[in-house]
């Protein structure tokens, strides 16, 4: 389901990937909420740090992974992690490269969500 801003996927393939990512994040978000016994939003205001692990050490542009991150944020919104993924609730999304390499042929995206103060 790897996509980047530079990917040239057919619109139907991109839509399939997007739907899978959104559904995955929804299921994972619900699982976390159920495990913690939560029924309402986990965060009212938060920041999201996106760490991208690449299989090679060459040059990379971590912000290009936004076509993967946006459906993940939408899925967490659907799950009830926050009221909405607008700027009032998800105040910032930052991207960085993970210094560790991923397994050959794979990319890994990690979202670290931190509660934001008032």
């Amino acid at each position: 389901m790897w996509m980047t801003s530079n990917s040239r996927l057919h619109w139907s393939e991109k839509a399939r990937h997007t739907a899978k990512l959104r559904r995955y994040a929804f299921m994972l978000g619900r699982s976390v909420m159920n495990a913690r016994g939560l029924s309402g939003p986990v965060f009212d205001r938060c920041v999201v740090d996106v760490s991208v692990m690449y299989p090679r050490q060459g040059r990379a542009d971590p912000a290009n992974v936004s076509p993967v991150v946006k459906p993940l944020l939408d899925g967490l919104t659907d799950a009830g992690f926050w009221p909405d993924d607008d700027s009032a609730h998800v105040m910032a999304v930052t991207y960085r490269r993970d210094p560790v390499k991923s397994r050959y042929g794979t990319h890994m995206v990690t979202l670290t969500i931190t509660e934001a103060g008032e």
Side-chain angles (χ1 to χ4, degrees), residues 52-65:
V52 185
M53 205 181 281
Y54 295 91
R56 293 183 218 120
Q57 289 295 338
R59 292 174 37 148
D61 185 354
N64 274 346
V65 77

Side-chain angles (χ1 to χ4, degrees), residues 19-53:
K20 285 180 185 177
L21 288 164
R22 187 171 184 154
R23 180 76 179 150
Y24 172 76
F26 171 81
M27 292 171 40
L28 186 60
R30 277 295 186 192
S31 174
V32 167
M33 291 176 70
N34 288 339
R36 294 184 180 185
L38 300 171
S39 59
V42 178
F43 299 99
D44 185 46
R45 295 165 35 113
C46 65
V47 295
V48 179
D49 182 46
V50 179
S51 178
V52 185
M53 205 181 281

